[in-house]
Amino acid sequence: TALLPLPQFRLISSPRFSKNQLIEWLKKNNPELKSLDFSRKKANVNIKLARKGYFPDISVVLDYIITDEARMTGVEDSGKDPIVAMVQLSLPIWFSKNKARVNQAKWHLKKVLNKKKDMENNLLARM
């Protein structure tokens, strides 16, 4: 029976980071903080969308109606499919509703920013 050789130990030096480098790395690479960054971007888009509620909506529709030949003879334009054009205008008259929608989107953004700051503080406290 042969004896196994004793393992050779080497001292490996651990990389040195400054505290500021470690904090920046943590803020940049933490998945929960990244998720909150995406939520922040989404909240900014929602604010822009909510502000568009103050503008009128204009719709233009072009349609046609399929018709058969008339049962009576001698009917003018019998069997011709008519084309219909419509323009619809929707005016935003409920300004308080629009203002509430914008305020809600702003408060949601503020909530996300506060949640991110809270999470950053908790991560730094655990270091």
Coordinates of all heavy atoms in Angstrom, one line a residue, residues 52-108:
K52 N -49.9 62.3 -22.1 CA -50.6 62.3 -23.4 C -52.1 62.3 -23.3 O -52.8 62.6 -24.3 CB -50.1 61.2 -24.3 CG -48.7 61.3 -24.7 CD -48.2 60.3 -25.6 CE -46.8 60.5 -26.0 NZ -46.3 59.7 -27.1
G53 N -52.6 62.1 -22.1 CA -54.1 62.1 -21.9 C -54.6 63.5 -22.1 O -55.8 63.7 -22.2
Y54 N -53.8 64.6 -22.0 CA -54.2 65.9 -22.2 C -54.4 66.3 -23.7 O -55.0 67.4 -24.0 CB -53.2 66.9 -21.6 CG -53.2 66.9 -20.1 CD1 -52.1 66.4 -19.4 CD2 -54.2 67.4 -19.4 CE1 -52.1 66.4 -18.0 CE2 -54.2 67.4 -18.0 CZ -53.2 66.9 -17.3 OH -53.1 66.9 -15.9
F55 N -54.0 65.5 -24.6 CA -54.1 65.8 -26.0 C -55.3 65.1 -26.6 O -55.7 64.0 -26.2 CB -52.8 65.3 -26.8 CG -51.6 66.0 -26.3 CD1 -50.6 65.3 -25.6 CD2 -51.4 67.3 -26.6 CE1 -49.5 65.9 -25.2 CE2 -50.2 67.9 -26.1 CZ -49.2 67.2 -25.4
P56 N -55.9 65.7 -27.6 CA -57.1 65.1 -28.2 C -56.7 63.9 -29.1 O -55.5 63.8 -29.6 CB -57.6 66.2 -29.1 CG -56.5 67.2 -29.3 CD -55.6 67.1 -28.1
D57 N -57.6 62.9 -29.2 CA -57.4 61.8 -30.0 C -58.1 62.0 -31.4 O -59.3 62.3 -31.4 CB -57.9 60.5 -29.4 CG -57.1 60.1 -28.2 OD1 -55.9 60.4 -28.2 OD2 -57.6 59.5 -27.2
I58 N -57.4 61.8 -32.4 CA -58.0 61.9 -33.8 C -57.9 60.6 -34.4 O -56.8 60.0 -34.5 CB -57.3 63.0 -34.6 CG1 -57.4 64.3 -33.9 CG2 -57.9 63.1 -36.0 CD1 -56.5 65.4 -34.5
S59 N -59.0 60.1 -34.9 CA -59.0 58.8 -35.7 C -59.6 59.0 -37.0 O -60.6 59.7 -37.2 CB -59.9 57.8 -34.9 OG -59.4 57.5 -33.6
V60 N -59.0 58.4 -38.0 CA -59.5 58.4 -39.4 C -59.7 57.0 -39.8 O -58.8 56.1 -39.7 CB -58.5 59.1 -40.4 CG1 -59.0 59.1 -41.8 CG2 -58.1 60.5 -39.9
V61 N -60.9 56.7 -40.3 CA -61.3 55.3 -40.6 C -61.8 55.3 -42.1 O -62.6 56.2 -42.5 CB -62.4 54.8 -39.7 CG1 -62.9 53.4 -40.1 CG2 -62.0 54.8 -38.3
L62 N -61.3 54.4 -42.8 CA -61.8 54.2 -44.2 C -62.3 52.7 -44.3 O -61.5 51.8 -44.0 CB -60.6 54.4 -45.2 CG -61.0 54.5 -46.7 CD1 -62.0 55.6 -46.9 CD2 -59.7 54.6 -47.5
D63 N -63.5 52.5 -44.7 CA -64.1 51.2 -44.7 C -65.0 51.0 -46.0 O -65.2 52.0 -46.6 CB -65.0 51.0 -43.5 CG -65.2 49.6 -43.1 OD1 -64.7 48.7 -43.8 OD2 -66.0 49.3 -42.1
Y64 N -65.4 49.8 -46.2 CA -66.3 49.6 -47.4 C -67.3 48.6 -46.9 O -67.1 47.9 -46.0 CB -65.5 49.1 -48.6 CG -64.9 47.8 -48.5 CD1 -65.6 46.6 -48.9 CD2 -63.6 47.6 -47.9 CE1 -65.0 45.4 -48.7 CE2 -63.1 46.4 -47.8 CZ -63.7 45.2 -48.2 OH -63.2 44.0 -48.0
I65 N -68.5 48.6 -47.6 CA -69.6 47.7 -47.3 C -69.8 46.9 -48.5 O -70.0 47.4 -49.6 CB -70.8 48.6 -47.0 CG1 -70.6 49.5 -45.8 CG2 -72.0 47.6 -46.6 CD1 -71.7 50.5 -45.5
I66 N -69.8 45.6 -48.3 CA -70.1 44.6 -49.4 C -71.6 44.5 -49.6 O -72.3 44.2 -48.7 CB -69.5 43.2 -49.1 CG1 -68.0 43.4 -48.9 CG2 -69.8 42.2 -50.2 CD1 -67.3 42.1 -48.4
T67 N -72.0 44.8 -50.8 CA -73.5 44.7 -51.1 C -73.7 43.8 -52.3 O -72.8 43.6 -53.2 CB -74.0 46.1 -51.5 OG1 -73.3 46.6 -52.6 CG2 -74.0 47.1 -50.3
D68 N -74.8 43.2 -52.3 CA -75.2 42.3 -53.4 C -76.0 43.1 -54.5 O -76.3 44.2 -54.3 CB -76.1 41.1 -52.9 CG -75.3 40.1 -52.1 OD1 -74.0 40.0 -52.4 OD2 -75.8 39.4 -51.2
E69 N -76.3 42.4 -55.6 CA -77.1 43.0 -56.6 C -78.5 43.2 -56.0 O -79.0 42.5 -55.2 CB -77.2 42.0 -57.8 CG -75.9 41.8 -58.5 CD -75.5 43.0 -59.3 OE1 -76.4 43.8 -59.8 OE2 -74.3 43.2 -59.5
A70 N -79.2 44.3 -56.4 CA -80.5 44.6 -56.0 C -81.5 43.5 -56.5 O -81.3 43.0 -57.6 CB -80.9 46.0 -56.4
R71 N -82.5 43.2 -55.8 CA -83.6 42.3 -56.2 C -84.4 42.9 -57.4 O -84.9 42.2 -58.2 CB -84.4 41.8 -55.1 CG -83.7 41.0 -54.1 CD -84.6 40.5 -53.0 NE -83.8 39.7 -52.0 CZ -84.2 39.3 -50.9 NH1 -85.5 39.5 -50.6 NH2 -83.4 38.6 -50.1
M72 N -84.6 44.2 -57.3 CA -85.3 44.9 -58.4 C -84.4 45.3 -59.5 O -83.2 45.6 -59.3 CB -86.0 46.1 -57.8 CG -87.1 45.8 -56.8 SD -87.9 47.3 -56.1 CE -87.7 48.6 -57.2
T73 N -84.9 45.2 -60.7 CA -84.1 45.6 -61.8 C -84.1 47.1 -62.0 O -85.1 47.8 -61.5 CB -84.6 44.9 -63.1 OG1 -85.9 45.3 -63.3 CG2 -84.4 43.4 -63.0
G74 N -83.1 47.6 -62.6 CA -83.0 49.1 -62.9 C -82.6 49.9 -61.7 O -82.7 51.2 -61.8
V75 N -82.1 49.3 -60.6 CA -81.6 50.1 -59.5 C -80.2 50.6 -59.8 O -79.3 49.8 -60.2 CB -81.6 49.3 -58.2 CG1 -81.0 50.1 -57.0 CG2 -83.0 48.9 -57.8
E76 N -80.0 51.9 -59.7 CA -78.7 52.5 -60.1 C -77.6 52.1 -59.1 O -77.8 52.0 -57.9 CB -78.8 54.1 -60.0 CG -77.7 54.8 -60.7 CD -77.9 56.2 -60.7 OE1 -79.0 56.7 -61.0 OE2 -76.9 57.0 -60.5
D77 N -76.4 51.8 -59.5 CA -75.2 51.4 -58.7 C -75.5 50.1 -58.0 O -74.9 49.8 -56.9 CB -74.8 52.5 -57.7 CG -74.2 53.7 -58.4 OD1 -73.7 53.6 -59.6 OD2 -74.3 54.8 -57.8
S78 N -76.3 49.2 -58.5 CA -76.6 48.0 -57.9 C -75.4 47.1 -57.9 O -74.7 46.9 -58.9 CB -77.8 47.3 -58.7 OG -78.0 46.0 -58.1
G79 N -75.1 46.6 -56.7 CA -73.9 45.7 -56.5 C -72.6 46.3 -56.4 O -71.6 45.7 -56.1
K80 N -72.6 47.6 -56.4 CA -71.3 48.4 -56.2 C -71.1 48.5 -54.7 O -72.0 48.9 -54.0 CB -71.3 49.7 -56.9 CG -71.3 49.6 -58.4 CD -71.1 51.0 -59.0 CE -71.1 50.9 -60.5 NZ -71.0 52.2 -61.1
D81 N -69.9 48.2 -54.2 CA -69.6 48.3 -52.8 C -69.3 49.8 -52.4 O -68.3 50.4 -53.0 CB -68.4 47.5 -52.4 CG -68.7 46.0 -52.7 OD1 -69.9 45.6 -52.7 OD2 -67.7 45.2 -52.8
P82 N -70.1 50.4 -51.6 CA -69.8 51.8 -51.2 C -68.6 51.9 -50.2 O -68.3 51.0 -49.4 CB -71.1 52.2 -50.5 CG -71.7 51.0 -50.0 CD -71.3 49.9 -51.0
I83 N -67.8 53.0 -50.3 CA -66.7 53.3 -49.5 C -67.2 54.3 -48.5 O -67.8 55.3 -48.9 CB -65.5 53.7 -50.3 CG1 -65.0 52.6 -51.2 CG2 -64.4 54.2 -49.3 CD1 -63.9 53.0 -52.1
V84 N -66.8 54.1 -47.2 CA -67.2 55.0 -46.1 C -66.0 55.6 -45.5 O -65.1 54.8 -45.1 CB -68.1 54.3 -45.1 CG1 -68.5 55.2 -44.0 CG2 -69.3 53.6 -45.7
A85 N -65.9 56.9 -45.3 CA -64.8 57.6 -44.6 C -65.4 58.3 -43.4 O -66.4 58.9 -43.4 CB -64.2 58.6 -45.6
M86 N -64.6 58.1 -42.3 CA -65.1 58.7 -41.0 C -63.9 59.4 -40.3 O -62.8 58.9 -40.4 CB -65.6 57.6 -40.1 CG -66.9 57.0 -40.5 SD -67.5 55.8 -39.3 CE -66.5 54.4 -39.7
V87 N -64.1 60.5 -39.7 CA -63.1 61.1 -38.8 C -63.7 61.3 -37.4 O -64.9 61.7 -37.3 CB -62.8 62.5 -39.4 CG1 -61.8 63.3 -38.5 CG2 -62.2 62.4 -40.8
Q88 N -63.0 60.8 -36.4 CA -63.5 60.9 -35.1 C -62.5 61.7 -34.2 O -61.3 61.6 -34.3 CB -63.5 59.5 -34.5 CG -64.0 59.4 -33.1 CD -64.1 58.0 -32.6 OE1 -63.8 57.0 -33.3 NE2 -64.4 57.8 -31.3
L89 N -63.0 62.6 -33.4 CA -62.2 63.5 -32.6 C -62.7 63.3 -31.2 O -63.9 63.5 -30.9 CB -62.4 65.0 -33.0 CG -61.7 66.0 -32.2 CD1 -60.2 65.8 -32.4 CD2 -62.1 67.4 -32.7
S90 N -61.8 63.0 -30.3 CA -62.1 62.8 -28.9 C -61.3 63.9 -28.1 O -60.1 63.9 -28.1 CB -61.6 61.4 -28.4 OG -61.8 61.3 -27.0
L91 N -62.1 64.8 -27.5 CA -61.5 65.9 -26.7 C -61.4 65.5 -25.2 O -62.3 65.0 -24.6 CB -62.4 67.1 -26.9 CG -62.5 67.7 -28.3 CD1 -63.4 68.9 -28.3 CD2 -61.1 68.1 -28.8
P92 N -60.2 65.8 -24.6 CA -60.0 65.5 -23.2 C -60.7 66.6 -22.4 O -60.1 67.7 -22.2 CB -58.5 65.5 -23.1 CG -58.0 66.4 -24.1 CD -59.0 66.3 -25.3
I93 N -61.9 66.4 -21.9 CA -62.5 67.4 -21.1 C -62.5 67.1 -19.6 O -62.8 68.0 -18.8 CB -64.0 67.6 -21.5 CG1 -64.8 66.3 -21.4 CG2 -64.1 68.1 -23.0 CD1 -66.2 66.4 -21.6
W94 N -62.0 65.9 -19.2 CA -62.0 65.6 -17.8 C -60.5 65.8 -17.3 O -59.7 64.9 -17.1 CB -62.4 64.1 -17.6 CG -63.7 63.8 -18.2 CD1 -63.9 63.0 -19.3 CD2 -65.0 64.3 -17.7 NE1 -65.3 63.0 -19.5 CE2 -65.9 63.7 -18.6 CE3 -65.4 65.1 -16.7 CZ2 -67.3 64.0 -18.5 CZ3 -66.7 65.3 -16.6 CH2 -67.7 64.8 -17.4
F95 N -60.2 67.1 -17.1 CA -58.8 67.5 -16.7 C -58.4 66.9 -15.4 O -57.3 66.6 -15.2 CB -58.6 69.0 -16.8 CG -58.7 69.5 -18.2 CD1 -59.8 70.2 -18.6 CD2 -57.7 69.3 -19.1 CE1 -59.9 70.7 -19.9 CE2 -57.8 69.7 -20.4 CZ -58.9 70.4 -20.8
S96 N -59.4 66.8 -14.4 CA -59.0 66.3 -13.1 C -58.6 64.8 -13.2 O -57.7 64.4 -12.5 CB -60.1 66.6 -12.1 OG -61.3 65.9 -12.6
K97 N -59.3 64.1 -14.1 CA -59.0 62.7 -14.2 C -57.6 62.5 -14.8 O -56.8 61.7 -14.4 CB -60.0 62.0 -15.1 CG -59.8 60.6 -15.4 CD -61.0 60.0 -16.2 CE -60.4 59.5 -17.5 NZ -61.4 58.9 -18.4
N98 N -57.3 63.4 -15.8 CA -55.9 63.3 -16.4 C -54.9 63.7 -15.4 O -53.8 63.1 -15.4 CB -55.9 64.2 -17.7 CG -56.7 63.6 -18.8 OD1 -56.9 62.4 -18.9 ND2 -57.2 64.5 -19.7
K99 N -55.2 64.7 -14.6 CA -54.2 65.2 -13.6 C -54.0 64.1 -12.6 O -52.8 63.9 -12.2 CB -54.7 66.5 -13.0 CG -53.7 67.1 -12.0 CD -54.3 68.4 -11.4 CE -53.3 68.9 -10.4 NZ -53.8 70.1 -9.8
A100 N -55.0 63.4 -12.2 CA -54.9 62.3 -11.2 C -54.0 61.2 -11.8 O -53.2 60.6 -11.1 CB -56.2 61.8 -10.8
R101 N -54.2 60.9 -13.1 CA -53.4 59.8 -13.8 C -52.0 60.2 -13.8 O -51.1 59.4 -13.5 CB -54.0 59.6 -15.2 CG -53.4 58.4 -15.8 CD -54.0 58.2 -17.2 NE -55.4 57.8 -17.1 CZ -56.4 58.2 -17.8 NH1 -56.1 59.1 -18.8 NH2 -57.6 57.8 -17.6
V102 N -51.6 61.5 -14.1 CA -50.2 61.9 -14.1 C -49.7 61.9 -12.7 O -48.5 61.4 -12.5 CB -50.1 63.3 -14.7 CG1 -48.7 63.9 -14.5 CG2 -50.5 63.3 -16.2
N103 N -50.4 62.4 -11.7 CA -49.9 62.3 -10.3 C -49.7 60.9 -9.9 O -48.7 60.6 -9.1 CB -50.9 63.0 -9.4 CG -50.8 64.5 -9.6 OD1 -49.9 65.1 -10.0 ND2 -51.9 65.2 -9.2
Q104 N -50.6 60.0 -10.2 CA -50.4 58.6 -9.8 C -49.1 58.0 -10.4 O -48.3 57.3 -9.7 CB -51.6 57.8 -10.3 CG -51.5 56.3 -9.9 CD -52.6 55.5 -10.4 OE1 -53.4 55.9 -11.2 NE2 -52.7 54.3 -9.9
A105 N -48.8 58.3 -11.7 CA -47.6 57.9 -12.3 C -46.4 58.5 -11.7 O -45.4 57.8 -11.5 CB -47.6 58.2 -13.8
K106 N -46.4 59.8 -11.3 CA -45.3 60.4 -10.6 C -45.1 59.8 -9.2 O -43.9 59.6 -8.8 CB -45.6 61.9 -10.4 CG -45.4 62.7 -11.7 CD -45.7 64.1 -11.5 CE -45.6 65.0 -12.7 NZ -45.9 66.4 -12.5
W107 N -46.2 59.5 -8.5 CA -46.0 58.9 -7.2 C -45.4 57.5 -7.3 O -44.7 57.0 -6.4 CB -47.4 58.9 -6.4 CG -47.7 60.2 -5.8 CD1 -48.6 61.0 -6.3 CD2 -47.1 60.8 -4.7 NE1 -48.7 62.2 -5.5 CE2 -47.7 62.1 -4.5 CE3 -46.0 60.4 -3.9 CZ2 -47.3 62.9 -3.5 CZ3 -45.7 61.3 -2.8 CH2 -46.3 62.5 -2.7
H108 N -45.8 56.8 -8.3 CA -45.2 55.4 -8.5 C -43.7 55.5 -8.8 O -43.0 54.7 -8.2 CB -45.9 54.7 -9.7 CG -45.4 53.3 -9.9 ND1 -45.7 52.3 -9.0 CD2 -44.6 52.8 -10.9 CE1 -45.1 51.2 -9.5 NE2 -44.5 51.5 -10.6

